[in-house]
Structure formats: structure tokens, C-alpha cells
């Protein structure tokens, strides 16, 4: 009998250790990790600089609370801003970051409505779940928070029709993750930004899964040449140590004055020490260029499947966030099992999309080996 709630469908393997791009189960079996803790371990497992940062801070102080000055937070906030006009609130997860963004948008504008998009995913707390455009995830938890509306992704006319003086903000993912690895079209995203500005609505970009180098930029929105008002990050920010953050334009700083919002553990010393190291390693021109190059290579390799297998409908993504759309949920299940047999761990996105999220540090040879096994695992489908 388990003493855990059964809210996860868990694999029978238990991952007990990891090194670089590989993880090991309780039987000592080695797997190439194309999950990365769901886009968390961007620097892989046991990265020496990350381990060193954690150990050094652990020997000093773990937690000091937000009642005191924290230079570690100031350091990470500066690195996240990367020269842009942002200030940061630290929390513990992506859902918490999006909760903060929703509160910020409503308080800053004095408006109530938040527009989100169909098949989006923003978290499972009440506010974040209410922003998530997937009704099946909301079942059993109704009523959700009022004031949210969901529109078709990559279509500008529905948004133009709904933007009015009641809309506080528009929240979106630059690449929809859980919804099926669906990248935003550049012209659409630029148009969303334009119409938000014209309407006095804030633009919130959810970078929980796409941020911290995953798409080949520090933030995915950077390749679209837009300037969001609020950005939320988490997952890879501390390579597995729980942390989240909401970045907002400096003009919004006064909205979150003393007593307006808070957290006990957010921005704790351990998380901040690791996050600083992660940002130093990832936010480098050569590192990010290599992510783009490896992503282009993997997408090109996988695109060959479209002509070779009737099971493969599309290949899409940015950087090392890639989805392969299959013809059915059954095909997806078979591929995931085939991959595990071939000692590769991957995951799904939506009902029929194979999601590939390898560590960003993966070398070319290992990536090529992974691509070969992925293709083999799909081509044997009946």
C-alpha cells in the first residue's frame, strides 16, 4: 500500500542517480535523459559548478527569510534582467510565478479580465489553473477564478475582437509546451504585443518551460523581438532546486509594495546560489548558439520521419524543445515504451505528441545516437 495520493501515473522505474545527460534506475540501468526533469535539468545532472555552488552555500546558511536584505537575490535578479528594465519577485515554482503575474496585472491596471489561449498551460493552483486553456484540467475544481477567457492560439482576429477596457493582461507561452509543442508565429506575436500596447493591457510571457536557454535564447521571446511587461520563469532556473520568478517592468515596482505579496521560501539562499551559477553558465553567446545548432540538427534528422512513416504527422519546436506529432495516443504510448526499451526516457505533450527535452549540454555524438534510437523507435510502429 502506498502512502501517497495517486495523482501521478508513475513509471515503475526509480531514478536514483544521474551524471551529465544520463540517469540510472534502482537496477543500475542507464538511460539517455530526454526529459530533463521536464525541462528542469538544462545543465544535466551533477554539473560540477552547480554542485559546488550548492555545497558552498549549504555550508553557510540555507534560509534567512525575506525580512532581511538578500544580496544573493539582487545578484540573480540582475542576471535575469540582463540589461533590460526588469525587477524581480522570487517564489518557488512556475505556478506561483504566474499567480504573482495575475495579481500584478490586475492591481497595476485596475482591470479584471485576463485573456489566455486554448491548449495553454500555466499551472495547477487556482489562479494559474484558471489561466490554463484546457477545460479537462479544470474538471472537478469548479468554480475556477472568474475573469479568464480563452482564445485560439496564433489567430489575431479573435484577440482584436475581445480586447477592450476590461482586459488587464494577455498571458501566453511562446511555445505551448503541455499543449503539444506549438511555437508562436512571429507576426502573430508581434501583433499581440501591438494590440496590448494600444489597449493599455499588459503582456505576460510564460517562460516556465521555454526559458533559461531551452530554445537557444535566454528567453524564447527574445527571438521574436518583443518587449513583454511581465515574464515568468521557473523550472531550469536552478537546475532542480525549487525556485520561480516573476520579472516585471520597473514601472510596475510600486504595485508590489510592502504587504502586497509574499512568500516564506521564495528566493532562499540555496536556490539563489545555484540560480546565479546556472545563469552564468547558460547566458553565454557560444552556449546559446550551440543550443540552436543542436536543435536545428535534431529537427532536421527527425523531419525525415514524415516521409518514412505514416504515423508521423509533424515535427516542430525551437532549440532543444521538440515535439513529434503522431497519429494517435496509442502510437505515442508504443513509442515511449520502445524508447525506454532502447534506454531513452522521453515524455508526452498533449494526447499525441512525443516531447523531447534533452539537457542543453548534450554533445553532438550523444545527440546523434539519441536521434538514431528515436527514429528506430518510431519506424518499427505497425
Amino acid at each position: 500500500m502506498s502512502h501517497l495520493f495517486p495523482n501521478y501515473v508513475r513509471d515503475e522505474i526509480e531514478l536514483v542517480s544521474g551524471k551529465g545527460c544520463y540517469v540510472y534506475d534502482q537496477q543500475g540501468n542507464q538511460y539517455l535523459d530526454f526529459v530533463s526533469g521536464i525541462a528542469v535539468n538544462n545543465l544535466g545532472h551533477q554539473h560540477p559548478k552547480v554542485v559546488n555552488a550548492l555545497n558552498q552555500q549549504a555550508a553557510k546558511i540555507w534560509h534567512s527569510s525575506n525580512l532581511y536584505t538578500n544580496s544573493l537575490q539582487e545578484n540573480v535578479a540582475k542576471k535575469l534582467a540582463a540589461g533590460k528594465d526588469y525587477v524581480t519577485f522570487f517564489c518557488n515554482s512556475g505556478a506561483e510565478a504566474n499567480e504573482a503575474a495575475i495579481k500584478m496585472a490586475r492591481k497595476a491596471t485596475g482591470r479584471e479580465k485576463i485573456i489566455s489561449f486554448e491548449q495553454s498551460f500555466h499551472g495547477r493552483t487556482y489562479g494559474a489553473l484558471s489561466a490554463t486553456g484546457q477545460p479537462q484540467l479544470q474538471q472537478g475544481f469548479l468554480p475556477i477564478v472568474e475573469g479568464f477567457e480563452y482564445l485560439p492560439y496564433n489567430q489575431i482576429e479573435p484577440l482584436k475582437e475581445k480586447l477592450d477596457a476590461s482586459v488587464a493582461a494577455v498571458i501566453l507561452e511562446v511555445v505551448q509546451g503541455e499543449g503539444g509543442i506549438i511555437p508562436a508565429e512571429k507576426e502573430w506575436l508581434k501583433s499581440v504585443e501591438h494590440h496590448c500596447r494600444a489597449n493599455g493591457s499588459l503582456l505576460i510571457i510564460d517562460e516556465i518551460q521555454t526559458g533559461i536557454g531551452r530554445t537557444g535564447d535566454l528567453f524564447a521571446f527574445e527571438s521574436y523581438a518583443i518587449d513583454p511587461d511581465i515574464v515568468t520563469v521557473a523550472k531550469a532556473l536552478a537546475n532542480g532546486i525549487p525556485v520561480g520568478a516573476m520579472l516585471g517592468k520597473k514601472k510596475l515596482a510600486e504595485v508590489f509594495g510592502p504587504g502586497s505579496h509574499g512568500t516564506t521560501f521564495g528566493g532562499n539562499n540555496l536556490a539563489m546560489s545555484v540560480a546565479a551559477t546556472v545563469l552564468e553558465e547558460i547566458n553565454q553567446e557560444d552556449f546559446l548558439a550551440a543550443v540552436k545548432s543542436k536543435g536545428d540538427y535534431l529537427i532536421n534528422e527527425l523531419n525525415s520521419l514524415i516521409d518514412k512513416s505514416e504515423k508521423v504527422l509533424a515535427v516542430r519546436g525551437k532549440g532543444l524543445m521538440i515535439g513529434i506529432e503522431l497519429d494517435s495516443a496509442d502510437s505515442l504510448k508504443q513509442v515511449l515504451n520502445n524508447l525506454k526499451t532502447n534506454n531513452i526516457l522521453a515524455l508526452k505533450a498533449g494526447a499525441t505528441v512525443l516531447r523531447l527535452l534533452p539537457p542543453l549540454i548534450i554533445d553532438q555524438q550523444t545527440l546523434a545516437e539519441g536521434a538514431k534510437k528515436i527514429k528506430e523507435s518510431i519506424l518499427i510502429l505497425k
Side-chain angles (χ1 to χ4, degrees), residues 81-368:
K84 299 182 180 70
D85 186 27
Y86 287 123
V87 292
T88 298
F89 166 79
F90 289 107
C91 50
N92 307 283
S93 69
E96 287 187 32
N98 284 333
E99 291 281 348
I102 291 165
K103 289 179 68 176
M104 168 74 79
R106 284 179 165 169
K107 191 175 183 198
T109 63
R111 303 175 179 183
E112 296 182 0
K113 186 182 290 185
I114 307 285
I115 290 178
S116 178
F117 293 91
E118 295 167 0
Q119 295 307 307
S120 61
F121 184 85
H122 299 291
R124 294 182 184 271
T125 50
Y126 257 106
L129 181 63
S130 301
T132 294
Q134 299 191 49
Q136 69 275 19
L137 298 181
Q138 299 169 352
Q139 293 304 308
F141 304 109
L142 302 175
I144 57 173
V145 179
E146 295 180 353
F148 290 85
E149 187 164 359
Y150 319 105
L151 302 180
Y153 193 70
N154 275 330
Q155 295 182 33
I156 197 61
E157 289 303 321
L159 179 65
K160 288 167 63 176
E161 291 175 8
K162 294 295 183 179
L163 275 176
D164 58 28
S166 70
V167 178
V170 173
I171 183 170
L172 61 87
E173 303 156 272
V174 173
V175 181
Q176 288 192 327
E178 305 295 327
I181 313 299
I182 304 171
E185 296 171 1
K186 189 166 187 175
E187 288 186 7
W188 174 75
L189 193 49
K190 292 282 288 182
S191 187
V192 171
E193 178 188 38
H194 169 76
H195 289 291
C196 282
R197 293 279 182 273
N199 192 59
S201 304
L202 300 180
L203 177 59
I204 304 170
I205 301 294
D206 178 338
E207 294 267 4
I208 307 304
Q209 190 165 160
T210 54
I212 319 301
R214 175 54 58 183
T215 66
D217 291 285
L218 183 62
F219 300 116
F221 76 79
E222 292 175 312
S223 69
Y224 290 80
I226 62 170
D227 187 25
D229 299 290
I230 299 173
V231 181
T232 55
V233 294
K235 285 190 179 290
L237 180 53
N239 212 60
I241 301 298
V243 66
M246 178 194 67
L247 285 64
K249 288 294 187 66
K250 198 167 185 179
K251 64 183 181 182
L252 298 172
E254 62 183 22
V255 177
F256 263 20
S260 60
H261 196 55
T263 170
T264 296
F265 295 109
N268 75 78
N269 307 66
L270 289 177
M272 291 297 95
S273 293
V274 174
T277 301
V278 168
L279 290 168
E280 287 165 7
E281 289 297 299
I282 289 178
N283 196 18
Q284 300 182 47
E285 185 175 345
D286 290 346
F287 185 98
L288 294 171
V291 173
K292 290 180 181 177
S293 176
K294 287 181 279 193
D296 289 343
Y297 164 81
L298 186 54
I299 288 177
N300 185 61
E301 285 290 309
L302 298 175
N303 265 326
S304 66
L305 290 166
I306 296 174
D307 294 329
K308 294 178 180 179
S309 173
E310 61 183 16
K311 301 289 186 179
V312 177
L313 304 182
V315 176
R316 54 182 178 255
K318 285 179 69 67
L320 288 172
M321 182 179 180
I322 298 170
I324 303 176
E325 185 177 354
L326 300 168
D327 67 331
S328 68
D330 185 62
S331 292
L332 176 57
K333 183 178 180 180
Q334 290 181 55
V335 171
L336 288 169
N337 287 333
N338 292 344
L339 285 170
K340 191 165 67 168
T341 300
N342 281 322
N343 296 99
I344 295 184
L345 299 183
L347 67 161
K348 67 177 186 175
T352 61
V353 176
L354 176 69
R355 180 169 27 165
L356 305 171
L357 300 166
L360 306 184
I361 59 167
I362 192 168
D363 60 68
Q364 188 61 40
Q365 180 180 344
T366 305
L367 189 62

Side-chain angles (χ1 to χ4, degrees), residues 63-82:
H63 176 77
S64 60
S65 100
N66 287 301
L67 298 175
Y68 303 97
T69 297
N70 192 322
S71 60
L72 296 174
Q73 288 188 14
E74 290 285 356
N75 181 37
V76 176
K78 183 177 180 180
K79 291 180 186 299
L80 281 171

